[in-house]
mmCIF file of all heavy atoms in Angstrom:
data_model
loop_
_atom_site.group_PDB
_atom_site.id
_atom_site.type_symbol
_atom_site.label_atom_id
_atom_site.label_comp_id
_atom_site.label_asym_id
_atom_site.label_seq_id
_atom_site.Cartn_x
_atom_site.Cartn_y
_atom_site.Cartn_z
ATOM 1 N N ALA J 1 0.848 -1.230 0.010
ATOM 2 C CA ALA J 1 -0.030 0.012 -0.015
ATOM 3 C C ALA J 1 0.834 1.307 0.017
ATOM 4 O O ALA J 1 0.354 2.361 0.136
ATOM 5 C CB ALA J 1 -0.945 -0.023 1.219
ATOM 6 N N ASP J 2 2.261 1.151 -0.114
ATOM 7 C CA ASP J 2 3.081 2.179 -0.094
ATOM 8 C C ASP J 2 3.314 2.813 -1.482
ATOM 9 O O ASP J 2 3.813 2.068 -2.274
ATOM 10 C CB ASP J 2 4.472 1.864 0.545
ATOM 11 C CG ASP J 2 5.370 2.911 0.609
ATOM 12 O OD1 ASP J 2 5.037 4.126 0.292
ATOM 13 O OD2 ASP J 2 6.398 2.677 1.331
ATOM 14 N N GLU J 3 2.836 3.992 -1.849
ATOM 15 C CA GLU J 3 2.919 4.528 -3.178
ATOM 16 C C GLU J 3 4.102 5.394 -3.353
ATOM 17 O O GLU J 3 4.249 6.073 -4.256
ATOM 18 C CB GLU J 3 1.658 5.402 -3.436
ATOM 19 C CG GLU J 3 0.418 4.589 -3.565
ATOM 20 C CD GLU J 3 0.544 3.673 -4.762
ATOM 21 O OE1 GLU J 3 1.050 4.015 -5.898
ATOM 22 O OE2 GLU J 3 0.144 2.401 -4.558
ATOM 23 N N THR J 4 5.043 5.359 -2.365
ATOM 24 C CA THR J 4 6.366 6.212 -2.588
ATOM 25 C C THR J 4 7.290 5.441 -3.452
ATOM 26 O O THR J 4 7.100 4.119 -3.663
ATOM 27 C CB THR J 4 7.063 6.317 -1.216
ATOM 28 O OG1 THR J 4 7.386 5.029 -0.686
ATOM 29 C CG2 THR J 4 6.108 6.989 -0.112
ATOM 30 N N PRO J 5 8.275 6.037 -4.111
ATOM 31 C CA PRO J 5 9.093 5.449 -4.973
ATOM 32 C C PRO J 5 9.776 4.209 -4.362
ATOM 33 O O PRO J 5 10.072 3.149 -4.872
ATOM 34 C CB PRO J 5 10.128 6.578 -5.473
ATOM 35 C CG PRO J 5 9.218 7.808 -5.366
ATOM 36 C CD PRO J 5 8.371 7.604 -4.141
ATOM 37 N N GLU J 6 10.120 4.442 -2.992
ATOM 38 C CA GLU J 6 10.857 3.261 -2.281
ATOM 39 C C GLU J 6 9.992 2.158 -2.167
ATOM 40 O O GLU J 6 10.291 1.033 -2.348
ATOM 41 C CB GLU J 6 11.382 3.781 -0.869
ATOM 42 C CG GLU J 6 12.405 4.944 -0.872
ATOM 43 C CD GLU J 6 11.780 6.350 -1.140
ATOM 44 O OE1 GLU J 6 10.634 6.473 -1.279
ATOM 45 O OE2 GLU J 6 12.585 7.368 -1.072
ATOM 46 N N GLY J 7 8.702 2.399 -1.798
ATOM 47 C CA GLY J 7 7.785 1.290 -1.505
ATOM 48 C C GLY J 7 7.523 0.522 -2.879
ATOM 49 O O GLY J 7 7.547 -0.705 -2.895
ATOM 50 N N ARG J 8 7.348 1.281 -3.907
ATOM 51 C CA ARG J 8 7.169 0.607 -5.303
ATOM 52 C C ARG J 8 8.419 -0.198 -5.679
ATOM 53 O O ARG J 8 8.185 -1.148 -6.360
ATOM 54 C CB ARG J 8 6.866 1.607 -6.283
ATOM 55 C CG ARG J 8 5.392 2.324 -6.152
ATOM 56 C CD ARG J 8 4.953 3.039 -7.435
ATOM 57 N NE ARG J 8 5.833 4.156 -7.746
ATOM 58 C CZ ARG J 8 5.570 5.339 -7.280
ATOM 59 N NH1 ARG J 8 4.606 5.593 -6.498
ATOM 60 N NH2 ARG J 8 6.438 6.339 -7.557
ATOM 61 N N SER J 9 9.604 0.292 -5.330
ATOM 62 C CA SER J 9 10.835 -0.510 -5.646
ATOM 63 C C SER J 9 10.857 -1.801 -4.931
ATOM 64 O O SER J 9 11.386 -2.697 -5.416
ATOM 65 C CB SER J 9 12.010 0.393 -5.485
ATOM 66 O OG SER J 9 12.363 0.483 -4.116
ATOM 67 N N ILE J 10 10.270 -1.854 -3.631
ATOM 68 C CA ILE J 10 10.292 -2.960 -2.864
ATOM 69 C C ILE J 10 9.405 -4.038 -3.640
ATOM 70 O O ILE J 10 9.687 -5.144 -3.616
ATOM 71 C CB ILE J 10 9.969 -2.703 -1.458
ATOM 72 C CG1 ILE J 10 10.976 -1.870 -0.848
ATOM 73 C CG2 ILE J 10 9.819 -4.062 -0.694
ATOM 74 C CD1 ILE J 10 10.693 -1.428 0.627
ATOM 75 N N VAL J 11 8.162 -3.577 -3.967
ATOM 76 C CA VAL J 11 7.279 -4.365 -4.603
ATOM 77 C C VAL J 11 7.708 -4.850 -5.890
ATOM 78 O O VAL J 11 7.553 -6.096 -6.321
ATOM 79 C CB VAL J 11 5.914 -3.526 -4.906
ATOM 80 C CG1 VAL J 11 4.890 -4.326 -5.779
ATOM 81 C CG2 VAL J 11 5.176 -3.260 -3.583
ATOM 82 N N GLU J 12 8.467 -4.061 -6.599
ATOM 83 C CA GLU J 12 9.072 -4.457 -7.940
ATOM 84 C C GLU J 12 10.083 -5.555 -7.643
ATOM 85 O O GLU J 12 10.264 -6.549 -8.473
ATOM 86 C CB GLU J 12 9.814 -3.228 -8.514
ATOM 87 C CG GLU J 12 10.493 -3.557 -9.928
ATOM 88 C CD GLU J 12 9.601 -4.126 -10.982
ATOM 89 O OE1 GLU J 12 8.399 -3.787 -10.970
ATOM 90 O OE2 GLU J 12 10.014 -4.979 -11.789
ATOM 91 N N LEU J 13 10.857 -5.398 -6.568
ATOM 92 C CA LEU J 13 11.799 -6.537 -6.226
ATOM 93 C C LEU J 13 11.045 -7.854 -5.905
ATOM 94 O O LEU J 13 11.561 -8.882 -6.319
ATOM 95 C CB LEU J 13 12.604 -6.054 -4.879
ATOM 96 C CG LEU J 13 13.877 -6.847 -4.598
ATOM 97 C CD1 LEU J 13 14.973 -6.545 -5.662
ATOM 98 C CD2 LEU J 13 14.415 -6.312 -3.201
ATOM 99 N N GLY J 14 9.972 -7.852 -5.346
ATOM 100 C CA GLY J 14 9.158 -8.948 -5.175
ATOM 101 C C GLY J 14 8.456 -9.483 -6.436
ATOM 102 O O GLY J 14 8.497 -10.765 -6.554
ATOM 103 N N ARG J 15 8.157 -8.692 -7.269
ATOM 104 C CA ARG J 15 7.643 -9.087 -8.606
ATOM 105 C C ARG J 15 8.787 -9.752 -9.344
ATOM 106 O O ARG J 15 8.439 -10.789 -10.110
ATOM 107 C CB ARG J 15 7.138 -7.822 -9.482
ATOM 108 C CG ARG J 15 6.711 -8.232 -10.747
ATOM 109 C CD ARG J 15 6.296 -7.060 -11.641
ATOM 110 N NE ARG J 15 5.052 -6.376 -11.118
ATOM 111 C CZ ARG J 15 5.017 -5.301 -10.538
ATOM 112 N NH1 ARG J 15 6.096 -4.544 -10.401
ATOM 113 N NH2 ARG J 15 3.862 -4.729 -10.169
ATOM 114 N N GLN J 16 10.051 -9.409 -9.389
ATOM 115 C CA GLN J 16 11.105 -9.971 -10.069
ATOM 116 C C GLN J 16 11.295 -11.442 -9.509
ATOM 117 O O GLN J 16 11.747 -12.338 -10.234
ATOM 118 C CB GLN J 16 12.324 -9.149 -9.915
ATOM 119 C CG GLN J 16 12.251 -7.923 -10.689
ATOM 120 C CD GLN J 16 13.531 -7.097 -10.570
ATOM 121 O OE1 GLN J 16 14.335 -7.390 -9.876
ATOM 122 N NE2 GLN J 16 13.433 -5.760 -11.044
ATOM 123 N N ALA J 17 10.924 -11.612 -8.128
ATOM 124 C CA ALA J 17 11.134 -12.883 -7.524
ATOM 125 C C ALA J 17 9.879 -13.775 -7.736
ATOM 126 O O ALA J 17 9.810 -14.932 -7.225
ATOM 127 C CB ALA J 17 11.402 -12.696 -6.080
ATOM 128 N N GLY J 18 8.786 -13.229 -8.344
ATOM 129 C CA GLY J 18 7.672 -14.184 -8.688
ATOM 130 C C GLY J 18 6.647 -14.151 -7.603
ATOM 131 O O GLY J 18 5.778 -15.006 -7.576
ATOM 132 N N LEU J 19 6.658 -13.139 -6.641
ATOM 133 C CA LEU J 19 5.711 -13.109 -5.543
ATOM 134 C C LEU J 19 4.317 -12.478 -6.091
ATOM 135 O O LEU J 19 4.334 -11.725 -6.869
ATOM 136 C CB LEU J 19 6.234 -12.328 -4.401
ATOM 137 C CG LEU J 19 7.412 -12.883 -3.780
ATOM 138 C CD1 LEU J 19 7.880 -11.953 -2.660
ATOM 139 C CD2 LEU J 19 7.341 -14.229 -3.271
ATOM 140 N N SER J 20 3.301 -12.850 -5.407
ATOM 141 C CA SER J 20 1.932 -12.302 -5.668
ATOM 142 C C SER J 20 1.970 -10.897 -5.098
ATOM 143 O O SER J 20 2.311 -10.712 -3.935
ATOM 144 C CB SER J 20 0.880 -13.129 -4.884
ATOM 145 O OG SER J 20 -0.404 -12.616 -5.173
ATOM 146 N N LEU J 21 1.356 -9.969 -5.882
ATOM 147 C CA LEU J 21 1.444 -8.538 -5.518
ATOM 148 C C LEU J 21 0.085 -7.918 -5.296
ATOM 149 O O LEU J 21 -0.037 -6.824 -5.275
ATOM 150 C CB LEU J 21 2.164 -7.840 -6.573
ATOM 151 C CG LEU J 21 3.603 -8.397 -6.776
ATOM 152 C CD1 LEU J 21 4.204 -7.539 -8.130
ATOM 153 C CD2 LEU J 21 4.451 -8.207 -5.668
ATOM 154 N N GLU J 22 -0.997 -8.729 -5.186
ATOM 155 C CA GLU J 22 -2.311 -8.201 -4.869
ATOM 156 C C GLU J 22 -2.479 -7.856 -3.472
ATOM 157 O O GLU J 22 -2.106 -8.700 -2.535
ATOM 158 C CB GLU J 22 -3.339 -9.337 -5.297
ATOM 159 C CG GLU J 22 -3.552 -9.615 -6.711
ATOM 160 C CD GLU J 22 -3.797 -8.504 -7.647
ATOM 161 O OE1 GLU J 22 -4.517 -7.633 -7.120
ATOM 162 O OE2 GLU J 22 -3.345 -8.375 -8.841
ATOM 163 N N VAL J 23 -3.173 -6.789 -3.158
ATOM 164 C CA VAL J 23 -3.414 -6.291 -1.710
ATOM 165 C C VAL J 23 -4.582 -7.180 -1.414
ATOM 166 O O VAL J 23 -5.682 -7.177 -1.991
ATOM 167 C CB VAL J 23 -3.839 -4.815 -1.777
ATOM 168 C CG1 VAL J 23 -4.239 -4.362 -0.302
ATOM 169 C CG2 VAL J 23 -2.770 -3.986 -2.378
ATOM 170 N N PRO J 24 -4.429 -7.906 -0.228
ATOM 171 C CA PRO J 24 -5.516 -8.690 0.360
ATOM 172 C C PRO J 24 -6.900 -8.069 0.528
ATOM 173 O O PRO J 24 -6.784 -6.767 0.887
ATOM 174 C CB PRO J 24 -4.913 -9.352 1.481
ATOM 175 C CG PRO J 24 -3.501 -9.259 1.367
ATOM 176 C CD PRO J 24 -3.192 -7.935 0.550
ATOM 177 N N ALA J 25 -7.988 -8.655 0.371
ATOM 178 C CA ALA J 25 -9.228 -8.032 0.723
ATOM 179 C C ALA J 25 -9.326 -7.726 2.180
ATOM 180 O O ALA J 25 -8.815 -8.553 3.008
ATOM 181 C CB ALA J 25 -10.462 -8.987 0.284
ATOM 182 N N GLY J 26 -9.951 -6.667 2.494
ATOM 183 C CA GLY J 26 -10.101 -6.239 3.958
ATOM 184 C C GLY J 26 -8.757 -5.789 4.586
ATOM 185 O O GLY J 26 -8.707 -5.504 5.799
ATOM 186 N N ALA J 27 -7.759 -5.497 3.778
ATOM 187 C CA ALA J 27 -6.541 -4.957 4.263
ATOM 188 C C ALA J 27 -6.578 -3.572 4.722
ATOM 189 O O ALA J 27 -7.252 -2.835 4.136
ATOM 190 C CB ALA J 27 -5.446 -5.217 3.423
ATOM 191 N N THR J 28 -5.804 -3.164 5.815
ATOM 192 C CA THR J 28 -5.738 -1.781 6.228
ATOM 193 C C THR J 28 -4.288 -1.266 5.985
ATOM 194 O O THR J 28 -3.458 -1.781 6.586
ATOM 195 C CB THR J 28 -6.264 -1.733 7.803
ATOM 196 O OG1 THR J 28 -7.572 -2.193 7.886
ATOM 197 C CG2 THR J 28 -6.060 -0.254 8.199
ATOM 198 N N ALA J 29 -4.268 -0.267 5.235
ATOM 199 C CA ALA J 29 -2.968 0.415 5.054
ATOM 200 C C ALA J 29 -2.519 1.187 6.254
ATOM 201 O O ALA J 29 -3.362 2.088 6.695
ATOM 202 C CB ALA J 29 -2.938 1.152 3.756
ATOM 203 N N ILE J 30 -1.320 1.023 6.594
ATOM 204 C CA ILE J 30 -0.765 1.901 7.730
ATOM 205 C C ILE J 30 0.224 2.930 7.029
ATOM 206 O O ILE J 30 1.300 2.550 6.522
ATOM 207 C CB ILE J 30 -0.054 0.963 8.703
ATOM 208 C CG1 ILE J 30 -0.882 -0.041 9.233
ATOM 209 C CG2 ILE J 30 0.558 1.893 9.872
ATOM 210 C CD1 ILE J 30 -2.098 0.451 9.866
ATOM 211 N N ALA J 31 -0.156 4.152 7.044
ATOM 212 C CA ALA J 31 0.624 5.133 6.396
ATOM 213 C C ALA J 31 1.821 5.551 7.224
ATOM 214 O O ALA J 31 1.766 5.558 8.497
ATOM 215 C CB ALA J 31 -0.234 6.396 6.107
ATOM 216 N N PHE J 32 2.796 6.026 6.480
ATOM 217 C CA PHE J 32 4.062 6.561 7.155
ATOM 218 C C PHE J 32 3.900 7.877 7.886
ATOM 219 O O PHE J 32 2.976 8.634 7.414
ATOM 220 C CB PHE J 32 5.166 6.811 6.139
ATOM 221 C CG PHE J 32 6.341 7.228 6.824
ATOM 222 C CD1 PHE J 32 7.441 6.441 7.280
ATOM 223 C CD2 PHE J 32 6.607 8.684 6.756
ATOM 224 C CE1 PHE J 32 8.625 6.976 7.895
ATOM 225 C CE2 PHE J 32 7.825 9.158 7.348
ATOM 226 C CZ PHE J 32 8.827 8.376 7.919
ATOM 227 N N SER J 33 4.328 7.933 9.008
ATOM 228 C CA SER J 33 4.083 9.277 9.847
ATOM 229 C C SER J 33 5.455 9.518 10.501
ATOM 230 O O SER J 33 6.344 8.669 10.643
ATOM 231 C CB SER J 33 2.964 9.100 10.924
ATOM 232 O OG SER J 33 3.449 8.309 12.095
ATOM 233 N N ALA J 34 5.532 10.902 10.842
ATOM 234 C CA ALA J 34 6.860 11.323 11.347
ATOM 235 C C ALA J 34 7.004 10.831 12.709
ATOM 236 O O ALA J 34 8.151 10.697 13.193
ATOM 237 C CB ALA J 34 6.873 12.811 11.218
ATOM 238 N N THR J 35 5.969 10.494 13.338
ATOM 239 C CA THR J 35 5.897 9.925 14.640
ATOM 240 C C THR J 35 6.442 8.475 14.793
ATOM 241 O O THR J 35 7.376 8.181 15.473
ATOM 242 C CB THR J 35 4.554 10.036 15.302
ATOM 243 O OG1 THR J 35 4.037 11.307 15.301
ATOM 244 C CG2 THR J 35 4.630 9.616 16.814
ATOM 245 N N THR J 36 5.815 7.651 14.017
ATOM 246 C CA THR J 36 6.141 6.191 13.966
ATOM 247 C C THR J 36 7.407 5.896 13.246
ATOM 248 O O THR J 36 8.047 4.913 13.425
ATOM 249 C CB THR J 36 4.981 5.441 13.595
ATOM 250 O OG1 THR J 36 4.638 5.712 12.232
ATOM 251 C CG2 THR J 36 3.789 5.658 14.440
ATOM 252 N N ARG J 37 7.529 6.764 12.121
ATOM 253 C CA ARG J 37 8.659 6.415 11.022
ATOM 254 C C ARG J 37 8.561 5.013 10.486
ATOM 255 O O ARG J 37 9.586 4.298 10.270
ATOM 256 C CB ARG J 37 9.934 6.725 11.608
ATOM 257 C CG ARG J 37 10.170 8.223 11.941
ATOM 258 C CD ARG J 37 11.616 8.482 12.132
ATOM 259 N NE ARG J 37 12.090 7.714 13.374
ATOM 260 C CZ ARG J 37 13.444 7.471 13.614
ATOM 261 N NH1 ARG J 37 14.366 7.775 12.762
ATOM 262 N NH2 ARG J 37 13.793 6.974 14.674
ATOM 263 N N GLN J 38 7.217 4.482 10.348
ATOM 264 C CA GLN J 38 6.970 3.162 9.835
ATOM 265 C C GLN J 38 5.806 3.267 8.873
ATOM 266 O O GLN J 38 4.981 4.170 9.148
ATOM 267 C CB GLN J 38 6.766 2.185 10.973
ATOM 268 C CG GLN J 38 7.925 1.952 11.854
ATOM 269 C CD GLN J 38 7.542 0.846 12.914
ATOM 270 O OE1 GLN J 38 7.563 -0.340 12.644
ATOM 271 N NE2 GLN J 38 7.075 1.291 14.101
ATOM 272 N N SER J 39 5.682 2.188 8.113
ATOM 273 C CA SER J 39 4.386 2.211 7.252
ATOM 274 C C SER J 39 4.367 0.518 7.119
ATOM 275 O O SER J 39 5.086 -0.241 7.448
ATOM 276 C CB SER J 39 4.503 2.781 5.906
ATOM 277 O OG SER J 39 5.581 2.210 5.271
ATOM 278 N N GLY J 40 3.059 0.233 6.827
ATOM 279 C CA GLY J 40 2.777 -1.205 6.553
ATOM 280 C C GLY J 40 1.438 -1.583 6.305
ATOM 281 O O GLY J 40 0.639 -0.780 5.633
ATOM 282 N N LEU J 41 1.044 -2.842 6.607
ATOM 283 C CA LEU J 41 -0.245 -3.325 6.312
ATOM 284 C C LEU J 41 -0.769 -4.272 7.443
ATOM 285 O O LEU J 41 -0.016 -5.071 7.948
ATOM 286 C CB LEU J 41 -0.223 -4.173 5.031
ATOM 287 C CG LEU J 41 -1.362 -4.319 4.139
ATOM 288 C CD1 LEU J 41 -1.687 -3.137 3.497
ATOM 289 C CD2 LEU J 41 -1.080 -5.293 2.949
ATOM 290 N N ASP J 42 -2.091 -4.208 7.665
ATOM 291 C CA ASP J 42 -2.651 -5.076 8.631
ATOM 292 C C ASP J 42 -3.852 -5.875 7.870
ATOM 293 O O ASP J 42 -4.666 -5.240 7.189
ATOM 294 C CB ASP J 42 -3.398 -4.283 9.734
ATOM 295 C CG ASP J 42 -2.325 -3.758 10.653
ATOM 296 O OD1 ASP J 42 -1.168 -4.220 10.773
ATOM 297 O OD2 ASP J 42 -2.634 -2.857 11.469
ATOM 298 N N VAL J 43 -3.761 -7.187 8.068
ATOM 299 C CA VAL J 43 -4.900 -8.098 7.490
ATOM 300 C C VAL J 43 -5.267 -9.270 8.348
ATOM 301 O O VAL J 43 -4.327 -10.098 8.792
ATOM 302 C CB VAL J 43 -4.288 -8.708 6.119
ATOM 303 C CG1 VAL J 43 -5.421 -9.540 5.414
ATOM 304 C CG2 VAL J 43 -3.823 -7.655 5.212
ATOM 305 N N ASP J 44 -6.506 -9.243 8.738
ATOM 306 C CA ASP J 44 -7.119 -10.334 9.599
ATOM 307 C C ASP J 44 -6.180 -10.557 10.780
ATOM 308 O O ASP J 44 -5.804 -11.793 10.995
ATOM 309 C CB ASP J 44 -7.140 -11.684 8.695
ATOM 310 C CG ASP J 44 -8.225 -11.422 7.581
ATOM 311 O OD1 ASP J 44 -9.089 -10.638 7.701
ATOM 312 O OD2 ASP J 44 -7.844 -12.125 6.505
ATOM 313 N N GLY J 45 -5.768 -9.619 11.520
ATOM 314 C CA GLY J 45 -5.032 -9.852 12.772
ATOM 315 C C GLY J 45 -3.534 -9.875 12.611
ATOM 316 O O GLY J 45 -2.797 -9.948 13.493
ATOM 317 N N ARG J 46 -3.130 -9.971 11.262
ATOM 318 C CA ARG J 46 -1.742 -10.092 11.033
ATOM 319 C C ARG J 46 -1.257 -8.732 10.630
ATOM 320 O O ARG J 46 -1.966 -7.808 10.150
ATOM 321 C CB ARG J 46 -1.530 -11.130 9.929
ATOM 322 C CG ARG J 46 -1.860 -12.468 10.244
ATOM 323 C CD ARG J 46 -1.171 -13.507 9.274
ATOM 324 N NE ARG J 46 0.181 -13.652 9.431
ATOM 325 C CZ ARG J 46 1.009 -14.226 8.680
ATOM 326 N NH1 ARG J 46 0.488 -14.786 7.597
ATOM 327 N NH2 ARG J 46 2.290 -14.176 8.852
ATOM 328 N N SER J 47 0.080 -8.537 10.822
ATOM 329 C CA SER J 47 0.688 -7.139 10.686
ATOM 330 C C SER J 47 2.075 -7.141 9.958
ATOM 331 O O SER J 47 2.839 -8.172 10.229
ATOM 332 C CB SER J 47 0.759 -6.295 11.906
ATOM 333 O OG SER J 47 1.627 -6.887 12.805
#
């Protein structure tokens, strides 16, 4: 869910390795913030 160039480059690295790149249904995107300095994804209790 990271639309920054860095995030897309990581997804591209996974694409080159043959990984599935679909965002799971019901996923919650965690946006980057200056406070947490993190971003990510939550799906069905997993993070």
Side-chain angles (χ1 to χ4, degrees):
D2 185 356
E3 289 301 318
T4 65
E6 291 85 355
R8 289 196 296 271
S9 73
I10 296 170
V11 173
E12 179 62 30
L13 198 64
R15 179 183 287 112
Q16 293 175 1
L19 298 181
S20 174
L21 303 175
E22 295 295 328
V23 178
T28 301
I30 307 300
F32 177 86
S33 73
T35 303
T36 64
R37 293 194 293 156
Q38 297 183 82
S39 63
L41 202 69
D42 287 344
V43 183
D44 297 331
R46 300 196 64 188
S47 66

